[in-house]
Amino acid sequence: MTELLLLIGAYFIGSFATAVWVSKGVYGMDIREHGSGNAGATNTFRVLGPKAGTFVMLVDMFKGVLAVRLSYILPIYNEPEQITQLVNLQVGLGLAAVVGHIFPIWAGFRGGKGIATLFGMVLAIQPLVALCCVGVFLMILFLTRYVSLSSIIASIAFPVLILFIFREKEVFYRIFAIAVALMVVLTHQKNIARLLTGSESKVPLFKNRKNKHERE
């Protein structure tokens, strides 16, 4: 019963519609009516720029971290022999937050794709794996300036790291890693189509530098 309440709490945390509230409260518009129509960090980067996009991404990541940390409320899961049950609960809490992000009760059940929240979840469970994934993400973003492509490749790197580099023994977590990669690819089908046609929008990482040179 307590675990169920924690899962519900994790869903409510995930439902914190960062992109929607930032776009409405600061910019006077609904991010879901612009760009790709998603209420996530990628579309915020695309429509509102890197400052707003970075803020939304960090808060959405924190939602995943906070949801996983709910597992420590129950002392029984802190025992060494309960490590498998702890990881399973943490995965469940993280996924509940991701579901909340995708279908936020506070924003008419129209959210984003949950990539940043998913990353925050992995960061809380396995920080080293998460840091490797963010390294892949940043490298691809720097080279291509495509947030969507960076997310896709980083998500594919996740199960590769889990299965072949860190050799995770927990079967449920290995299945979860593979499922994450598949889910991200499936939810980015439109982005993949735009990438193939060359119509996907790039993040203006060097916009300020470019403007500075133009002024000079």
Side-chain angles (χ1 to χ4, degrees):
M1 183 64 181
T2 305
E3 287 85 350
L4 178 60
L5 291 176
L6 290 180
L7 289 170
I8 294 173
Y11 167 78
F12 285 145
I13 290 172
S15 290
F16 186 89
T18 319
V20 175
W21 294 345
V22 167
S23 64
K24 286 185 175 181
V26 179
Y27 296 90
M29 47 87 84
D30 190 336
I31 191 70
R32 295 171 297 184
E33 304 303 325
H34 302 270
S36 65
N38 288 309
T42 299
N43 198 36
T44 305
F45 269 107
R46 181 184 296 115
V47 176
L48 301 179
K51 289 184 179 180
T54 300
F55 177 78
V56 169
M57 181 175 65
L58 291 175
V59 175
D60 286 349
M61 283 168 49
F62 179 71
K63 294 191 300 187
V65 173
L66 183 59
V68 169
R69 298 295 294 182
L70 291 178
S71 62
Y72 294 107
I73 291 178
L74 302 179
I76 186 174
Y77 289 102
N78 295 326
E79 301 296 331
E81 63 273 12
Q82 297 292 327
I83 184 63
T84 298
Q85 288 78 1
L86 173 63
V87 172
N88 290 342
L89 176 61
Q90 290 177 331
V91 171
L93 292 170
L95 289 177
V98 172
V99 171
H101 178 87
I102 298 173
F103 304 106
I105 191 172
W106 315 123
F109 300 100
R110 290 177 57 205
K113 295 176 181 177
I115 304 301
T117 304
L118 192 61
F119 172 76
M121 163 191 171
V122 177
L123 181 64
I125 299 175
Q126 283 190 310
L128 188 55
V129 173
L131 290 176
C132 290
C133 289
V134 77
V136 172
F137 176 90
L138 292 175
M139 180 180 68
I140 301 301
L141 182 62
F142 178 78
L143 293 174
T144 68
R145 286 183 289 162
Y146 289 122
V147 175
S148 57
L149 180 62
S150 303
S151 299
I152 292 169
I153 295 179
S155 68
I156 293 174
F158 179 40
V160 172
L161 289 164
I162 291 295
L163 296 174
F164 303 110
I165 307 300
F166 292 89
R167 298 183 182 276
E168 173 62 46
K169 295 181 179 180
E170 176 56 47
V171 176
F172 181 67
Y173 196 68
R174 295 171 70 178
I175 295 173
F176 163 71
I178 296 172
V180 165
L182 293 174
M183 182 193 74
V184 172
V185 172
L186 288 174
T187 56
H188 282 75
Q189 290 184 63
K190 292 182 179 179
N191 301 88
I192 293 172
R194 288 194 293 266
L195 286 166
L196 292 175
T197 59
S199 58
E200 179 76 334
S201 299
K202 292 184 177 183
V203 174
L205 294 178
F206 308 108
K207 182 177 180 180
N208 292 335
R209 182 181 299 179
K210 180 180 179 181
N211 290 342
K212 180 179 179 181
H213 288 324
E214 288 177 350
R215 289 194 300 270
E216 293 174 350

